[in-house]
Amino acid sequence: ESFHIVRTPGQDRELCAGFLLTEGLIEKLDDVLVLQECPDDPDVVRVRLASGAGEGGGRNLAVRSSCGLCGKVDLDAMQTSLGAIEHGVWIPVEVLYRLPSQVKVNQELFRQTGSTHAAALFNSAGDIQVVREDLGRHNALDKVLGWALLAGRPVEDLGCFLSGRISLEMVVKAARARIALVAAVSAPTL
């Protein structure tokens, strides 16, 4: 099976690893046997999963937009498959207020274009662990989660910051990665 993801180039292995995790295709890095950028085509990452992995995705079409729910077969099953997150992260409110400016400092592409989203992982002291940008906020989140997965960095003690609104699909992605806290800067939406 192949997926076509509209994305901002860069950190493509991270994006793929995060996408596999947040789509429920893998649960851990050991489920990935091959995650390799194609030397003949910089826009292709080849993936081979271990036996049994890759059966939980449930999309019925290729991903051709940045919408996180396009093509989902069963939204109810997706939500119930997440399970409870048994841990929590305690973050002082002043840390949450500092996050937008701390993340913005790391948004080089946003400074150049004014049109990208960012996602970041941070600890309870507000120390930013990683920031990734992408035109799509779903991809930015997949990139930071893929970074953690590939680096072997557990995320149970981290929070996630998003530069855009928190929608169901963003919460689902974070929950699949076992992130207990998601914070964002955005105007209210209906």
Side-chain angles (χ1 to χ4, degrees), residues 103 106-107 116-122 128 130-134 136-145 159-164 170 183:
V103 171
N106 292 290
Q107 289 183 260
T116 58
H117 285 286
L121 296 177
F122 61 93
I128 303 295
V130 63
V131 174
R132 293 292 184 256
E133 295 180 90
D134 199 283
R137 60 198 173 92
H138 304 86
N139 293 349
L141 180 55
D142 282 343
K143 285 178 179 182
V144 298
L145 297 173
C160 178
F161 174 83
L162 305 171
S163 66
M170 300 299 276

Side-chain angles (χ1 to χ4, degrees), residues 16-188:
C16 287
F19 178 82
L20 293 168
L21 179 68
T22 63
E23 286 296 311
L25 296 168
I26 64 170
E27 293 182 21
K28 58 193 177 311
L29 190 55
D30 291 345
D31 292 336
V32 180
L33 301 175
V34 174
L35 183 66
Q36 176 183 30
E37 294 181 41
C38 183
D40 299 332
D41 189 344
D43 293 325
V44 174
V45 176
R46 297 187 194 282
V47 176
R48 192 172 77 195
L49 302 180
S51 178
E55 297 172 2
R59 279 193 194 267
N60 61 9
L61 53 96
V63 180
R64 298 198 186 277
S65 75
S66 60
C67 172
L69 295 178
C70 293
K72 278 294 184 188
V73 175
D74 186 348
L75 294 178
D76 292 332
M78 174 194 68
Q79 292 177 61
T80 57
S81 71
L82 296 174
I85 295 177
E86 301 295 330
H87 61 277
V89 178
W90 292 97
I91 308 291
V93 70
E94 58 271 7
V95 167
L96 293 175
Y97 285 124
R98 285 195 318 258
L99 287 173
S101 60
Q102 288 178 284
V103 171
K104 193 171 186 176
V105 168
N106 292 290
Q107 289 183 260
E108 179 63 32
L109 191 54
F110 182 80
R111 276 195 298 284
Q112 293 173 8
T113 66
S115 62
T116 58
H117 285 286
L121 296 177
F122 61 93
N123 65 20
S124 60
D127 300 322
I128 303 295
Q129 307 297 297
V130 63
V131 174
R132 293 292 184 256
E133 295 180 90
D134 199 283
L135 184 60
R137 60 198 173 92
H138 304 86
N139 293 349
L141 180 55
D142 282 343
K143 285 178 179 182
V144 298
L145 297 173
W147 169 86
L149 186 66
L150 293 173
R153 172 60 165 98
V155 296
E156 289 82 8
D157 64 334
L158 300 178
C160 178
F161 174 83
L162 305 171
S163 66
R165 66 186 172 87
I166 301 175
S167 57
L168 172 63
E169 64 270 19
M170 300 299 276
V171 171
V172 168
K173 284 179 175 289
R176 281 230 170 90
R178 312 314 292 162
I179 297 278
L181 173 73
V182 180
V185 171
S186 179

